[in-house]
Amino acid sequence: MQTMRFSFKFLAAISLALMVGLVGAQGVPEQGFRIISTGTLGNCVACHALPGQRDVPSTFGPSFDKIGSRFDAPTLRQWIVDARVLKPDTLMPPFGTTQGTNAFVRAQSMLSEEQIEHVVAALLSLR
């Protein structure tokens, strides 16, 4: 009988993937849309057009129209947490980390992990 050996990194990656999947299931789209449109929270609509938005939609960043069809949950989460990982020259601020920012100005990330999961759920619903 053969014994399977897994590296610690492999097991950690599998554990993280399972946790991300479980956490992602907890996001509430309605709460995410509140965060997206609230100026003191995500304020995503300052740069991104939101389908059904009544005010003049921004054209600075890409539209959120059908974004849930274009990206999966882990990719959307990464855009929110730190878009620089996906696009190093982006102007989008990191909402889930202070890494590489002027941390003395902000002691914690702009959005909590829970808030990020709500935003991911909201964006995934836009198909």
Side-chain angles (χ1 to χ4, degrees):
M1 179 164 102
Q2 274 188 326
T3 310
M4 297 182 108
R5 293 185 181 174
F6 297 104
S7 73
F8 175 75
K9 287 181 181 178
F10 175 77
L11 292 174
I14 295 296
S15 297
L16 179 62
L18 290 172
M19 281 188 340
V20 166
L22 291 173
V23 173
Q26 296 175 3
V28 178
E30 293 78 16
Q31 291 183 28
F33 285 118
R34 183 180 59 79
I35 293 165
I36 286 170
S37 60
T38 300
T40 57
L41 293 172
N43 197 25
C44 306
V45 295
C47 296
H48 300 276
L50 185 63
Q53 190 176 358
R54 292 193 179 110
D55 298 337
V56 177
S58 176
T59 57
F60 186 74
S63 172
F64 285 155
D65 188 39
K66 297 185 175 117
I67 195 167
S69 300
R70 297 191 313 258
F71 297 104
D72 60 10
T75 305
L76 288 170
R77 189 175 297 104
Q78 185 61 64
W79 277 111
I80 298 163
V81 171
D82 191 351
R84 299 171 297 179
V85 171
L86 300 171
K87 188 176 180 199
D89 63 342
T90 187
L91 294 176
M92 182 168 164
F95 285 90
T97 184
T98 59
Q99 187 80 20
T101 64
N102 294 329
F104 64 91
V105 174
R106 181 172 279 283
Q108 64 186 33
S109 60
M110 289 187 262
L111 296 176
S112 69
E113 289 180 25
E114 181 181 3
Q115 289 171 318
I116 289 169
E117 293 310 317
H118 294 316
V119 172
V120 169
L123 295 175
L124 283 173
S125 74
L126 297 173
R127 296 190 176 269

